[in-house]
Amino acid sequence: MISSVIRFLGLVAAVLGVSAAIVGGIGVATTPFTDFPAFGSTGEKLLAYYSYFTLWSNILGAAAGLSYAFWFIRGRDGGGLGAVLRLDATIMLMATGLVYHLLVADGSPHTGTQAFTTPIIHGIMPVLLPAIWLLHMTQRHRPDVRLRTLLGALIIPAIWTAWTFWRAQVTGGYYPYDFMDATEIGLARSVTTTAMIYVIFTVFMLVLGLIERVVLSRLRPTRYIKLPENRD
């Protein structure tokens, strides 16, 4: 029963994530890119749009959704790569939702394609993927949150951070988020704010790890409690 729910929710996440990414790209390609007017060509606008952390996290969430639907089932957990994918999708989307509502959202109404994409990429997906991850704990036989997978889960955010700061240099100062805009707030504050997001990211991982250990120890206590040897 639970595995069927996980597969269904995974498929929903995949459809929503892919749909939002495609519809958002169409909207950006056919309208002026107001965040940075220097981007006039379709290619420049699309590259800028798909450089948002939000898009990276939602595309990864869609990939994880497909994996939940067709791979992480019937006792298979995908090994270390599967754990990294699940953790990345879960934590990156949690960070996306939190940062958006605390630092980015200004309460203004969304129009055009954003009226469709914003509720998905900033609201539904940041809740749906963590929920699936929690449900999937009942299906896996070892914790996702381990030192090796934690380090692996930091690779994509680190690549995104390096890409963002490099892009700012080659585009003459384009930053996808105001709280990272070193041109406006200074490099020191930009780096400090970015580092705080990594701290939040790490806290999320530790909290998820604690939840996972508690749940798995109750579901499969013999894997976590060493039984006394029979000396008869």
Side-chain angles (χ1 to χ4, degrees), residues 55-219:
L55 269 296
W56 283 41
S57 64
N58 275 267
I59 291 171
L60 200 63
L66 282 176
S67 298
Y68 280 120
F70 300 109
W71 186 20
F72 302 145
I73 53 175
R74 297 174 185 172
R76 299 193 297 269
D77 63 8
L81 179 61
V84 169
L85 175 60
R86 289 191 295 269
L87 276 180
D88 260 333
T90 299
I91 300 173
M92 286 176 66
L93 280 164
M94 289 172 66
T96 291
L98 182 66
V99 171
Y100 174 78
H101 290 289
L102 291 181
L103 299 177
V104 178
D106 57 9
S108 59
H110 298 284
T111 59
T113 56
Q114 289 188 352
F116 171 76
T117 61
T118 298
I120 294 174
I121 63 179
H122 292 125
I124 298 175
M125 292 290 281
V127 173
L128 181 57
L129 265 297
I132 300 174
W133 185 85
L134 290 171
L135 285 174
H136 188 259
M137 279 194 294
T138 63
Q139 305 296 298
R140 50 187 181 260
H141 300 284
R142 58 181 175 178
D144 277 354
V145 184
R146 308 186 300 275
L147 179 60
R148 183 168 59 180
T149 53
L150 291 180
L151 294 176
L154 289 171
I155 292 174
I156 291 180
I159 292 173
W160 178 83
T161 302
W163 167 257
T164 298
F165 280 101
W166 177 80
R167 282 267 297 162
Q169 297 302 309
V170 301
T171 58
Y174 169 69
Y175 290 87
Y177 302 104
D178 291 341
F179 61 82
M180 294 181 68
D181 193 341
T183 305
E184 296 294 329
I185 66 175
L187 181 60
R189 185 176 174 187
S190 174
V191 171
T192 300
T193 305
T194 304
M196 287 302 300
I197 294 174
Y198 275 90
V199 171
I200 293 172
F201 197 91
T202 302
V203 170
F204 281 162
M205 286 195 288
L206 294 176
V207 170
L208 291 179
L210 178 61
I211 294 172
E212 187 177 49
R213 294 284 174 171
V214 170
V215 171
L216 288 182
S217 66
R218 293 179 180 276
L219 290 174

Side-chain angles (χ1 to χ4, degrees), residues 3 8 13 15 17 34 37 49 54 75 98 114 126 170 177 221 229:
S3 62
F8 172 74
V15 171
T34 56
Y49 180 68
T54 298
L98 182 66
Q114 289 188 352
V170 301
Y177 302 104
E229 297 179 2

Side-chain angles (χ1 to χ4, degrees), residues 12-50:
V12 170
V15 171
L16 288 177
V18 171
S19 299
I22 292 174
V23 171
I26 293 172
V28 167
T30 55
T31 58
F33 194 80
T34 56
D35 288 351
F36 201 71
F39 295 151
S41 71
T42 299
E44 288 176 327
K45 291 188 292 183
L46 287 175
L47 182 59
Y49 180 68
Y50 289 111

